[in-house]
Amino acid sequence: MRWDSEERRSGGHREHSIDDMGTKIIYFTVNGRPEQAEFPVDCPAQSLKDLFRSAAEAGPHDILKLYNPKGNIINISPALEPNAPNSCYKLEVVAADCNSEPLGILGLKVKRGILGDFERKLQSLEKKILIEAGETPAIVYEMKKQVDSFREKLESVEHLSWLGLFKDLSEGAHKPSPFYHKRALHKTREECEHVRETFLEMSSLQVSEEVRQYLKTPTFDNWQWEDAEIMVLLQVMYTDLDFTASFNIEAEVLQHFLFEVYRHYNNIPFHNFKHCFCVTQMMYGLIWLTDLRNKMESVDLLIMLTSAVCHDLDHAGYNNAYQINARTELALRYNDISPLENHHCAVAFEILEKTESNIFRNLAVDQYKRIREGIIKCILATDMTRHNEILNKFKSILPAFDFNNKEHRDVLMMILIKVSDISNEARPMEVAEPWLDCLLQEFYNQSDVEKLEGLPVTPFMDRDKVTKPSSQTGFIRFVLLPLFIELANLFPCLEQHIIHPVRKALDYYTEMEKALERESQNWAQSENAAKAKETAADGHADDAASASKPDQ
Ligand code: 0WF
Ligand code: ZN
């Protein structure tokens, strides 16, 4: 019995999934890596699970899930349907042993899992009894068996929402699932140091005029740049908008600030440092494209750019609905009112509280106050539950928009950060599409955890309910276009830069949706045809059987 990664395989894929020796071959991917498992059809279930565990490099107590190509969870058992290399299953470690290291979310430690706790207690009990009595009593074996059987159930049941029943109702009840380990959320010290050193080495180099101009357009491709380079590009934005000169921001302080910002974005699929950069770069592009430097005060532009930089600081990959439903520390702290956005903002001002990273340290108290008020307003405006409120306010002032009116400017600033925040689809398809994959990865992860914890599952995050095109067509039609069109009403020059590409994206995903529908119809038809053939064959067999029976 063995598993093989593609690199390790000497020959190509085999044609059949069960060979003449009664060996089954299952093709699957783990962390995007193609693997194949070979095992005798009559092998014990536990051995097969261990095989998959080793392929996933999972520990004995980690929880694995296997998905078929349709995205449904399937049981890891010797009865697994053999498959072909082009219809791989997907193996995921959905929950890792909580005992290996403490969990961390948003910098706060959470309690270990009850299953892990129980096992730990059992182990220590067993050790004590062994020392005192010299042997493990049957009752301890029985309890260990029960824990194993519980874990077994977790791995094989399709819908795990009943797990809510097992939630610890005492201390730690508001914490994330005890069965889910949020892996490597924070950047390591080594990772940060490496990026900081590279950034500092590069920051004295000149960025070419060509890159400086490219940086002002929504066609900019973030995927071509490393994190340290991205930090240099952010520095360029502050200098090219003359902020460093106008607000007396020392190069060293700006670098320190940008490094702290980098450090406080987490290693998660979507709301990470690259997203921070994209949002800031879109804001920067909008400032240049709409010639805002000649329409608004420099301090307002500084507020907008810095808000974009800080707007998702320390995001852990779980949205406000999750925070509120799971009664996390953040929801408790902010009384369910935009917990995430309040947190991002608070982290921003923690960074700015430190003299060495306070880019506003040379400003007068009144100006600092104005900037703080502006940043808070902008970051809090990124809570999508306030979308209609803010858009309607903008629509109501648009017919008589006045750049000299503070209230009008404030609403415009909120609209600009909102547009920048959700603007991926305004970018070229090869830049935008990977972002959607990242977002869905983060959404699916949240809904998996919601299922594990027995919390309400947000429908547009449910891997069983949404596809790439279905998630995007509604969003573009009902959220993106109505918002972008209003901004283009104020700045008609934006039509070609943000509306055209978004319409193109809508066409692209509408076509993809149709193709998927056709494919599933074809699949259903061939399934029905196969069933009909089977039924007919059964009928013939019955006829033949009754014909061959002697008369009674
Ligand atoms: C996947 C889709 C979606 N698509 C995006 O391009 C995008 C950019 N930002 N976001 C996006 N979401 C969100 C990240 C956090 C907040 C905004 N989502 C939106 C949802 C699926 O579907 C709809 C559809 C219509 C109305 C509301 C949500
Ligand atoms: Zn964001």
Side-chain angles (χ1 to χ4, degrees):
M1 196 155 75
R2 63 197 197 124
W3 62 271
D4 271 331
S5 79
E6 186 137 273
E7 294 90 2
R8 278 189 291 273
R9 248 175 263 148
S10 48
H13 295 298
R14 295 200 198 164
E15 288 286 309
H16 305 290
S17 304
I18 301 187
D19 67 13
D20 303 338
M21 309 290 289
T23 305
K24 238 184 214 182
I25 303 170
I26 299 291
Y27 297 96
F28 63 102
T29 60
V30 54
N31 294 326
R33 200 174 67 230
E35 305 279 6
Q36 70 181 54
E38 290 185 25
F39 53 92
V41 284
D42 56 352
C43 83
Q46 194 50 51
S47 314
L48 184 61
K49 280 185 182 156
D50 290 343
L51 186 71
F52 276 90
R53 249 179 230 298
S54 51
E57 289 161 15
H61 302 310
D62 293 349
I63 297 172
L64 303 181
K65 266 199 209 167
L66 190 67
Y67 299 92
N68 67 14
K70 280 190 273 170
N72 298 327
I73 299 169
I74 50 175
N75 201 357
I76 302 176
S77 86
L80 260 175
E81 191 76 32
N83 62 347
N86 61 357
S87 57
C88 269
Y89 296 135
K90 193 167 127 198
L91 183 66
E92 266 182 21
V93 182
V94 293
D97 181 16
C98 308
N99 283 330
S100 52
E101 59 182 280
L103 308 180
I105 176 172
L106 299 169
L108 303 162
K109 298 277 179 250
V110 292
K111 287 245 170 281
R112 285 170 171 191
I114 49 172
L115 195 59
D117 273 351
F118 193 55
E119 264 182 330
R120 220 159 18 88
K121 280 179 195 150
L122 262 179
Q123 274 164 11
S124 92
L125 190 67
E126 187 182 12
K127 212 162 133 191
K128 270 189 204 153
I129 297 173
L130 260 173
I131 292 167
E132 279 175 34
E135 64 172 324
T136 307
I139 179 83
V140 175
Y141 276 127
E142 190 53 40
M143 286 162 97
K144 281 170 80 177
K145 240 171 71 188
Q146 279 175 12
V147 172
D148 282 341
S149 122
F150 181 62
R151 192 183 303 286
E152 188 95 343
K153 269 188 202 148
L154 279 181
E155 286 179 11
S156 53
V157 289
E158 195 156 329
H159 299 290
L160 298 161
S161 48
W162 55 271
L163 275 174
L165 296 172
F166 290 85
K167 274 179 77 164
D168 187 355
L169 294 173
S170 57
E171 233 194 316
H174 313 316
K175 311 297 187 303
S177 165
F179 303 105
Y180 189 77
H181 178 75
K182 281 151 184 143
R183 249 170 225 265
L185 178 69
H186 297 294
K187 291 173 174 134
T188 62
R189 194 185 294 269
E190 293 75 37
E191 196 179 350
C192 288
E193 268 317 296
H194 172 71
V195 170
R196 195 176 72 94
E197 278 165 22
T198 321
F199 165 51
L200 293 180
E201 274 165 24
M202 282 192 303
S203 62
S204 54
L205 303 175
Q206 267 296 317
V207 175
S208 73
E209 185 52 29
E210 195 190 347
V211 170
R212 293 182 122 92
Q213 289 309 321
Y214 179 38
L215 194 57
K216 294 175 181 169
T217 71
T219 54
F220 191 90
D221 183 356
N222 66 278
W223 301 113
Q224 307 294 329
W225 304 80
E226 301 287 329
D227 286 349
E229 296 172 315
I230 284 178
M231 290 165 79
V232 175
L233 295 173
L234 289 170
Q235 197 181 347
V236 167
M237 294 182 202
Y238 276 81
T239 41
D240 283 7
L241 282 171
D242 288 330
F243 293 160
T244 41
S246 310
F247 302 100
N248 192 10
I249 305 172
E250 298 102 322
E252 213 174 289
V253 177
L254 180 57
Q255 285 158 4
H256 216 110
F257 169 74
L258 292 174
F259 173 66
E260 283 301 301
V261 165
Y262 163 77
R263 210 166 66 79
H264 283 85
Y265 274 95
N266 292 318
N267 280 333
I268 54 174
F270 184 87
H271 289 100
N272 50 38
F273 182 62
K274 288 192 199 303
H275 168 67
C276 141
F277 169 75
C278 283
V279 175
T280 310
Q281 190 271 327
M282 184 58 74
M283 177 67 91
Y284 184 68
L286 292 175
I287 290 173
W288 285 104
L289 290 171
T290 57
D291 192 25
L292 271 192
R293 286 183 357 132
N294 287 315
K295 296 181 173 79
M296 286 171 82
E297 280 181 65
S298 192
V299 66
D300 282 338
L301 308 186
L302 175 66
I303 290 171
M304 290 195 291
L305 199 81
T306 311
S307 300
V309 168
C310 299
H311 86 284
D312 272 329
L313 278 167
D314 199 30
H315 200 304
Y318 300 85
N319 74 356
N320 280 332
Y322 175 86
Q323 305 290 337
I324 294 166
N325 290 330
R327 295 193 253 153
T328 62
E329 306 258 358
L330 287 189
L332 288 179
R333 185 177 307 148
Y334 296 110
N335 301 310
D336 296 349
I337 302 165
S338 304
L340 280 179
E341 292 71 19
N342 272 299
H343 180 64
H344 306 320
C345 206
V347 175
F349 283 101
E350 270 169 32
I351 294 172
L352 290 165
E353 270 304 299
K354 294 191 197 120
T355 316
E356 65 273 19
S357 51
N358 182 2
I359 52 171
F360 309 132
R361 70 182 189 180
N362 294 326
L363 302 183
V365 173
D366 277 358
Q367 206 162 22
Y368 184 87
K369 256 188 165 172
R370 175 172 171 183
I371 292 175
R372 177 168 158 82
E373 185 200 296
I375 291 180
I376 294 173
K377 221 175 250 176
C378 282
I379 296 185
L380 293 190
T382 60
D383 181 348
M384 285 300 287
T385 60
R386 295 183 56 203
H387 179 78
N388 288 336
E389 171 217 327
I390 297 169
L391 181 57
N392 288 339
K393 213 180 247 175
F394 186 57
K395 279 184 187 169
S396 74
I397 60 172
L398 249 185
F401 192 89
D402 179 4
F403 280 101
N404 294 314
N405 181 325
K406 160 118 172 57
E407 203 194 324
H408 288 196
R409 283 199 312 269
D410 280 354
V411 181
L412 175 61
M413 286 162 74
M414 292 197 277
I415 288 287
L416 283 167
I417 194 163
K418 278 177 61 52
V419 166
S420 306
D421 193 18
I422 55 174
S423 63
N424 288 330
E425 292 301 343
R427 295 184 182 277
M429 196 54 74
E430 60 279 12
V431 179
E433 197 168 355
W435 274 116
L436 180 57
D437 295 329
C438 295
L439 183 57
L440 291 181
Q441 202 183 327
E442 201 170 292
F443 280 180
Y444 291 161
N445 175 57
Q446 178 178 320
S447 63
D448 286 347
V449 171
E450 285 168 337
K451 287 175 192 177
L452 279 164
E453 294 184 344
L455 295 171
V457 177
T458 313
F460 64 72
M461 295 190 176
D462 192 339
R463 64 170 83 240
D464 298 328
K465 297 205 171 91
V466 301
T467 62
K468 237 165 107 166
S470 73
S471 73
Q472 213 56 348
T473 48
F475 187 67
I476 295 178
R477 265 198 203 104
F478 304 115
V479 180
L480 281 191
L481 281 174
L483 173 68
F484 286 19
I485 287 170
E486 292 309 328
L487 184 63
N489 280 338
L490 185 62
F491 301 112
C493 66
L494 290 183
E495 181 91 23
Q496 65 177 112
H497 295 288
I498 61 170
I499 311 273
H500 289 177
V502 171
R503 287 201 199 282
K504 217 172 121 187
L506 179 58
D507 291 344
Y508 175 77
Y509 285 115
T510 308
E511 279 310 308
M512 197 190 278
E513 202 168 19
K514 282 187 203 155
L516 273 183
E517 262 164 37
R518 278 196 300 271
E519 205 173 285
S520 75
Q521 274 167 5
N522 288 345
W523 187 84
Q525 270 171 5
S526 54
E527 278 281 290
N528 287 342
K531 271 196 197 123
K533 220 168 149 187
E534 239 171 61
T535 319
D538 286 351
H540 284 310
D542 288 348
D543 290 348
S546 54
S548 64
K549 268 189 202 160
D551 285 336
Q552 303 258 313

